[in-house]
Amino acid sequence: STGEISFVRVNFDGSMAASTLEKRFDVQGKVRTLYTAVNNFETTLDPDQKLSLPADAVTVKSDRLNYAQWQPRNADQSMHELQATGNVHVVSGTFEATADRLSYQQQTEMLIIEGTSRTDAQLWHQTSPNSRDRRHLTAEKILYRVTDGQTIIPNIKNIDIID
């Protein structure tokens, strides 16, 4: 990432409940979220304008989004947690996922991508944004670390590896 400032924008067509005291918010109704790094505070980006987004941007679309910021004991910096539910679709330069529920905790850098009993979660990932070696996983639950691509599939029943 080239920027030094984290940029987050959330567009939605429903309602929002927030608590500045607890540093959390809950948004409902066709939620579109953008996360990226920028060089200055004057930068404005829109998750609905995909063509103008930086290469390292992450977008999350869902029916509902919960966000919380908290301070771990004996830590200098705050941690961020995100949970998206209902028709979740996340896209970045190195991965894409669809699920019923997606959660992310900054402390572990792990995405937890979950399907339902009827529809599995799906993850497509590659080593770099321009890589042609794109892998596809389908499972009820997938744990994916965004920093290094480590993938864990609990309770795996079947796998096909084609090389």
Side-chain angles (χ1 to χ4, degrees):
S1 148
T2 59
E4 297 295 323
I5 303 165
S6 293
F7 177 91
V8 177
R9 179 164 174 180
V10 180
N11 293 353
F12 58 97
D13 297 340
S15 62
M16 177 179 186
S19 169
T20 54
L21 182 64
E22 295 178 353
K23 297 181 180 178
R24 61 181 33 225
F25 66 81
D26 179 37
V27 183
Q28 298 181 59
K30 196 178 174 191
V31 183
R32 290 100 56 212
T33 308
L34 166 67
Y35 175 82
T36 191
V38 295
N39 292 318
N40 60 62
F41 287 107
E42 288 77 36
T43 302
T44 58
L45 298 167
D46 188 337
D48 295 327
Q49 303 296 319
K50 188 174 181 175
L51 295 177
S52 63
L53 298 180
D56 65 348
V58 177
T59 59
V60 180
K61 294 180 181 179
S62 62
D63 294 338
R64 184 174 192 163
L65 178 77
N66 294 294
Y67 169 83
Q69 179 183 4
W70 54 279
Q71 187 84 25
R73 290 185 188 167
N74 304 320
D76 295 332
Q77 293 192 0
S78 297
M79 291 291 145
H80 306 271
E81 291 182 6
L82 173 96
Q83 184 179 81
T85 55
N87 300 305
V88 179
H89 185 207
V90 60
V91 177
S92 82
T94 55
F95 68 90
E96 180 176 358
T98 59
D100 182 63
R101 180 174 182 224
L102 176 128
S103 57
Y104 174 75
Q105 187 180 66
Q106 183 182 16
Q107 190 173 25
T108 62
E109 299 178 331
M110 191 72 79
L111 275 177
I112 301 172
I113 307 159
E114 298 177 83
T116 66
S117 60
R118 292 179 174 214
T119 307
D120 284 337
Q122 296 190 61
L123 171 69
W124 297 264
H125 65 102
Q126 57 212 39
T127 54
S128 67
N130 298 321
S131 174
R132 293 177 182 235
D133 188 24
R134 187 171 169 155
R135 306 287 169 118
H136 179 224
L137 299 170
T138 301
E140 189 173 325
K141 184 176 187 177
I142 303 167
L143 285 71
Y144 178 76
R145 188 168 28 234
V146 296
T147 52
D148 62 10
Q150 178 185 357
T151 306
I152 301 168
I153 302 173
N155 302 322
I156 192 163
K157 297 173 189 162
N158 188 3
I159 187 167
D160 289 328
I161 301 174
I162 301 169
D163 214 6

